[in-house]
Structure formats: structure tokens, C-alpha cells
Amino acid sequence: MLTAHTIKILQSLDKKKFRQKYNLFLVEGNKIICELSESKFKVKEIFSTDPQKLDRTDAPVIQITENELKKISFLKTPKDSVAVCYLPEEEKKEERDIQLVLDGIQDPGNLGTIIRLADWFGIEQIICSEDTVDVYNPKVIQATMGSFTRVNMIYTDLVEYLSTTENINIGTDMEGENIYAFERPEKLNLILGNEGNGMRPETEKLLQKCITIPRFGKSQSTESLNVSMAAGIILGQLFSK
């Protein structure tokens, strides 16, 4: 049985300040929870309505009721189990040949989708501005569908980082080079800006190349693509060569 105190702590983990205070975050759903054993993430405990479905021996599994699960889940339709995990120490920045760089991404769903895309294309590291949404936000974790366990996330001062990187800084611009004719450099940072405002001027100044996704439709009513959608198109083209 869950105590009122435990429920209160778990419910507070939807906010970054409480995740940092308790050094914990939540992972929901048996499928993603089972992937944690192959990752750097350490599980403190698991609360489950059906412990038999979880093949875990590295952490205590506590049986709870459906009603208790609803109280600690951040999902509209709660899944079988909730794992309470320790926040890991951030890994050192070791530059990879191909990286995503996120400048002020705010929507948890977008970040989760971008992490899934990175995982799909074998991109092992994403560099984020300090105001990009926290990867341990429950909505981000859920949207990654487990990919957060395989992609290293670094939060840092972007201007400082992009000023010293050895990779070619590439961003999107309506006047940029057509992505379908673009020759991919061996080492690159693909920079994606904020959903509403794009990348900051100080970030834009550090771009060395600009690319664009050409519009084929006759209608001019669509002003831009969703940032995660654009990321998928660009990565698909960059990795096709």
C-alpha cells in the first residue's frame, strides 16, 4: 500500500525542481521499464498492478491497486507499472561526429520525438541549451518510448559550445541550400530552434552552413514545419547519402 507521503512525492516529480530535490524521475509502462536494465539508469523501486509481468530482480517491485496507480501516474490512461529512477550524473561532453543541437525547444512531445529520431538514426548525443525542456519531464520520457536510455543528453551554454566545436554548425533557413542537393560534412551539428521563434540571433551568428526543405505544394498557407517533423525529413536525407 502506498502512503500519502509517498504519493505526494511521486506526484511532485512532474516538476523539475522536485525531481532535482529528490534526485528522482518516473518511467511508466512495462516495455520501457524493462529497457532500463540495459541502460545507465538505476531503479529505486517499481510500483505495479501486476508484478508477474515484470522480470526485474535489481529493484524491489511493490504491488499496488489500480486506484493507487492512477494517483501516481501522469498518463490519462495509466499503464501497468511505474518505476522510480535515480537521476544519473550528466556525462562529459565528448564530441560525436554527428550531433543534434537544440536551441530552446519547449514542447515535451517535440523533444521526445527528436530523441526517438536520434536513436533511430544512430545519433548518440544531443546538445541542448539550458532553457530546453528537461529530458526527465514525464511527458518527454513517455514520448521517447525508451529512446532516452540510448541517447546522451547534454545541457550547456550553446554560444560557448558552438564557438569552440570542431563540427560544422548547420541550421535551417528559408534561403538555405536545398537539403536534397546538400553534401553532408563528415562532422556536423544540426541545430534546431525554438518552435515559435526559431534559433536565437546569437546562435544564428555561429552557423557555417544553412539548409532548407523546399516546399512542393502549390499552397503557400503553411508557413513552416513542426520542428520534430523537419528534423525527421532532414535526418532522412542526410543519412541517405
Side-chain angles (χ1 to χ4, degrees):
M1 181 176 171
L2 283 171
T3 65
H5 178 65
T6 300
I7 291 171
K8 185 178 179 181
I9 290 174
L10 298 183
Q11 288 175 339
S12 75
L13 297 180
D14 66 330
K15 293 182 173 61
K16 184 177 180 179
K17 66 177 181 180
F18 290 113
R19 291 194 290 274
Q20 292 177 332
K21 176 181 177 180
Y22 297 115
N23 197 42
L24 300 171
F25 72 101
L26 297 187
V27 175
E28 300 195 43
N30 289 349
K31 181 181 180 298
I32 304 178
I33 289 171
C34 287
E35 291 185 38
L36 291 170
S37 59
E38 303 297 319
S39 75
K40 66 181 179 182
F41 296 97
K42 292 182 180 179
V43 179
K44 179 176 183 282
E45 55 196 350
I46 301 170
F47 298 101
S48 179
T49 57
D50 191 355
Q52 302 301 321
K53 289 183 179 178
L54 281 166
D55 185 22
R56 298 292 300 246
T57 57
D58 57 329
V61 181
I62 300 153
Q63 183 154 12
I64 58 172
T65 65
E66 294 278 355
N67 192 44
E68 287 175 318
L69 180 66
K70 287 177 184 176
K71 289 179 181 178
I72 62 172
S73 173
F74 294 120
L75 302 176
K76 287 182 180 177
T77 308
K79 301 192 176 181
D80 302 357
S81 309
V82 173
V84 185
C85 303
Y86 294 105
L87 290 175
E89 289 187 16
E90 190 170 277
E91 293 182 23
K92 293 179 181 178
K93 286 197 294 283
E94 290 187 9
E95 196 149 85
R96 315 294 167 90
D97 287 351
I98 300 179
Q99 300 179 138
L100 293 181
V101 176
L102 308 182
D103 187 10
I105 299 295
Q106 294 298 299
D107 183 82
N110 280 337
L111 180 57
T113 301
I114 289 168
I115 293 170
R116 285 184 74 185
L117 282 167
D119 186 24
W120 182 265
F121 285 101
I123 296 171
E124 298 175 344
Q125 184 160 272
I126 298 177
I127 309 291
C128 303
S129 63
E130 291 165 330
D131 63 342
T132 289
V133 61
D134 182 29
V135 63
Y136 300 112
N137 178 307
K139 291 179 181 176
V140 176
I141 293 292
Q142 205 58 41
T144 70
M145 296 299 290
S147 289
F148 77 94
T149 62
R150 294 178 288 276
V151 179
N152 188 34
M153 303 292 290
I154 300 286
Y155 286 78
T156 191
D157 181 318
L158 276 198
V159 172
E160 183 182 323
Y161 175 72
L162 294 174
S163 300
T164 57
T165 179
E166 294 182 8
N167 288 9
I168 302 294
N169 295 328
I170 299 171
T172 56
D173 187 277
M174 294 300 286
E175 304 302 317
E177 188 178 341
N178 187 326
I179 183 62
Y180 298 109
F182 181 71
E183 287 296 323
R184 186 184 88 190
E186 282 189 24
K187 297 185 176 185
L188 67 90
N189 294 320
L190 175 60
I191 304 165
L192 303 168
N194 174 270
E195 292 88 346
N197 303 315
M199 66 185 75
R200 277 169 274 233
E202 53 265 42
T203 305
E204 208 164 351
K205 286 177 185 175
L206 296 167
L207 295 181
Q208 291 152 296
K209 290 181 180 290
C210 287
I211 53 175
T212 190
I213 302 169
R215 189 202 313 254
F216 293 100
K218 293 179 181 178
S219 169
Q220 300 296 305
S221 57
T222 303
E223 290 183 4
S224 62
L225 293 170
N226 169 281
V227 64
S228 56
M229 191 184 299
I233 294 169
I234 294 168
L235 290 174
Q237 185 59 24
L238 289 179
F239 281 89
S240 71
K241 298 176 181 179

